[in-house]
Amino acid sequence: MSARPHQSPPVQLDPFSMNPASAEASRISDDAAATEKHGNHLQGGGAGLTIHEKDSSRPGTGHGGYGNASSNENVAAHELTAPGDGYNGLVEPQAANLGADPEKSARARLVLLGAFAVSVVSVGYTSSYGVFETYYLEVMLPNESASNLAWLGSFTLFCMFVGSFGTGVLMDRYGPQPLVIIGSIITVIAMFMTSLCTTYYQLFLAQALLLGIGIAFIFCPALVTLSLYFQKNRGLAMGVAVSGSSVGGVIWPIALTRLLREVGFGWTLRIVGFIMLGMLIIASLTIRGPIRNGPRVPQPINLAPARNPVILLQAFALFFIYLGLFTPLFYITAYTISLGLDTNMAFYMVAIFNAASFFGRIMPGFLADIYGPFNLMITSAASSAIICFCWTKATSIAGIVVFCIFFGFSSGAIVSLQSVCAVKAVKKEEFGTAVGVVMAIMSVA
């Protein structure tokens, strides 16, 4: 009789008695099979998602057991993150079915539109303070010195920039939309309160303090949200958004000059307030963070960017740049009048300055995506300093116009690229804090 080959009976594993090693091996095998099945399903669906391999060092987190997606910003393919990972569990725009190129998606373009509107209302309006200063000196507050009146515009900028540190931290924790809505309400209230002012201290509280706080709530979150959507063309996108301040800087001085003469101070501020209300409604509806993969889980406050040497070095450099950046903008109208030149033309100098800065914010932004934002920032700052030394040699209308064009163009990149440079050194979940730190330090200027 021939011997029958020996066959081992099938091993039946008891889940309550298996040792930890074999249990882990079985779980990994099951997770791998589930991941492969889930990946094939997504390939058939055509959502364009990239699923990373299972991380065997930790248990799965649902959806077939795939682990954390990489938080590296430079990964070419957009990744699907597990809830709570990365930027508060947010999904990259491509992973949210926004198309092959998320920077061309409707959601990204709406954010760009909202950021543009915020720039018109915030920096565009504050850069037109030269019109108000001249009006205060000649009509409303003739007994106040030019230095005291300059404090109104300077303190608005101080509140806008120093407040950006707090709003940047809140942006990383809660997202942009609540902050933009709160800031919009404060900004509109500040405009209507300013329309009732008749004394210096009232103007300081309404036009300088309250308006500056309101702008801080909308300006920083708008720029940070834009950086979350754009990576390859971030410099260009930021230039287009911040060019809204140039558009506002052209429109506001002309409108303010005409309105102050025809309807008076009170109704001028009320009309401007209603215009801002419409633009801020657009911003509140369009500025939204990337789509979340699950409920938002507020992350702990992370102040690591405040200790980042790259961020601190950039912030202190911008501090010295901003010491002189807005001086020509605030005083160019009064300087033209002091020379005995045409008063009507003097009020248009701010508009000419901002018209030139429109091109100075978009073109360097485009070049920054090719040659690097820091290189363009350094070039812009150096050329602006050289041109500013020539200011006192402009003693005619033609000379002052040429000065405004050249200085406006060269200084435009400083405002548009400061946020682009700040986010270069941090992770996405730290964008808001990084931009806030830079703005807070340079606000002292």
Side-chain angles (χ1 to χ4, degrees):
M1 176 188 291
S2 59
R4 298 176 62 184
H6 177 73
Q7 295 181 354
S8 300
V11 179
Q12 298 187 5
L13 298 177
D14 183 357
F16 296 97
S17 62
M18 67 173 61
N19 61 55
S22 60
E24 177 66 7
S26 176
R27 186 192 61 76
I28 293 175
S29 177
D30 292 341
D31 284 347
T35 301
E36 181 180 359
K37 179 180 178 181
H38 189 65
N40 293 336
H41 173 70
L42 286 178
Q43 270 190 334
L49 304 181
T50 300
I51 307 297
H52 282 260
E53 293 182 0
K54 175 71 182 69
D55 181 1
S56 60
S57 64
R58 52 171 276 189
T61 56
H63 297 289
Y66 52 82
N68 285 341
S70 171
S71 61
N72 189 345
E73 176 186 347
N74 297 320
V75 176
H78 293 281
E79 302 157 346
L80 179 62
T81 62
D85 294 341
Y87 184 75
N88 288 344
L90 301 183
V91 185
E92 292 289 342
Q94 183 178 355
N97 248 341
L98 298 182
D101 189 350
E103 298 188 2
K104 296 180 181 179
S105 67
R107 192 180 180 98
R109 292 176 179 178
L110 286 174
V111 172
L112 181 59
L113 174 64
F116 182 89
V118 166
S119 295
V120 173
V121 170
S122 57
V123 181
Y125 180 76
T126 56
S127 65
S128 305
Y129 177 73
V131 175
F132 282 108
E133 181 167 1
T134 304
Y135 180 81
Y136 295 153
L137 279 171
E138 296 183 349
V139 180
M140 192 170 172
L141 300 170
N143 295 327
E144 294 289 342
S145 66
S147 176
N148 286 342
L149 293 174
W151 266 98
L152 297 176
S154 299
F155 197 75
T156 303
L157 294 173
F158 170 77
C159 291
M160 178 180 75
F161 287 130
V162 76
S164 294
F165 175 72
T167 57
V169 174
L170 293 174
M171 162 72 194
D172 289 338
R173 186 172 174 83
Y174 298 108
Q177 200 163 33
L179 302 178
V180 174
I181 293 174
I182 293 172
S184 300
I185 295 172
I186 296 175
T187 300
V188 173
I189 291 176
M191 295 303 300
F192 286 107
M193 294 302 295
T194 304
S195 71
L196 303 175
C197 296
T198 56
T199 61
Y200 180 82
Y201 86 89
Q202 292 174 343
L203 287 171
F204 190 89
L205 293 176
Q207 187 175 19
L209 178 61
L210 190 60
L211 180 63
I213 294 174
I215 293 176
F217 270 88
I218 62 177
F219 185 59
C220 179
L223 298 186
V224 173
T225 305
L226 196 66
S227 297
L228 291 172
Y229 280 90
F230 291 87
Q231 180 176 336
K232 182 176 63 176
N233 298 308
R234 183 175 292 160
L236 178 60
M238 197 68 67
V240 172
V242 178
S243 68
S245 63
S246 300
V247 174
V250 173
I251 296 174
W252 292 127
I254 298 174
L256 290 171
T257 301
R258 295 290 299 272
L259 289 171
L260 287 171
R261 292 175 181 174
E262 296 179 7
V263 300
F265 179 78
W267 271 106
T268 295
L269 272 296
R270 294 182 195 111
I271 292 172
V272 171
F274 282 117
I275 296 173
M276 287 185 174
L277 177 61
M279 302 196 73
L280 289 173
I281 289 176
I282 295 175
S284 299
L285 294 175
T286 56
I287 297 178
R288 298 179 296 169
I291 297 174
R292 287 170 288 155
N293 182 25
R296 179 183 295 280
V297 180
Q299 301 296 302
I301 294 177
N302 182 9
L303 299 180
R307 300 185 295 270
N308 189 318
V310 177
I311 297 295
L312 294 177
L313 182 61
Q314 178 192 346
F316 283 110
L318 285 170
F319 166 82
F320 289 104
I321 293 173
Y322 269 78
L323 278 175
L325 183 65
F326 286 98
T327 301
L329 195 60
F330 284 172
Y331 286 100
I332 194 66
T333 300
Y335 172 76
T336 306
I337 294 175
S338 70
L339 296 176
L341 301 175
D342 186 6
T343 303
N344 291 328
M345 193 63 188
F347 281 99
Y348 287 101
M349 291 301 176
V350 176
I352 294 172
F353 177 96
N354 285 298
S357 70
F358 175 84
F359 300 98
R361 284 168 182 167
I362 295 180
M363 292 177 61
F366 171 75
L367 295 174
D369 294 325
I370 302 175
Y371 301 106
F374 285 98
N375 295 329
L376 269 294
M377 174 73 82
I378 294 171
T379 303
S380 176
S383 59
S384 297
I386 294 173
I387 295 170
C388 203
F389 279 118
C390 304
W391 183 8
T392 56
K393 293 300 180 180
T395 56
S396 63
I397 290 293
I400 297 174
V401 168
V402 170
F403 168 78
C404 289
I405 292 174
F406 277 87
F407 187 78
F409 181 85
S410 63
S411 63
I414 296 174
V415 178
S416 63
L417 293 180
Q418 62 189 21
S419 299
V420 180
C421 292
V423 301
K424 274 285 186 180
V426 296
K427 299 179 292 185
K428 283 191 174 183
E429 56 267 28
E430 299 173 344
F431 276 9
T433 305
V435 174
V437 168
V438 170
M439 290 186 176
I441 292 177
M442 72 185 190
S443 68
V444 184

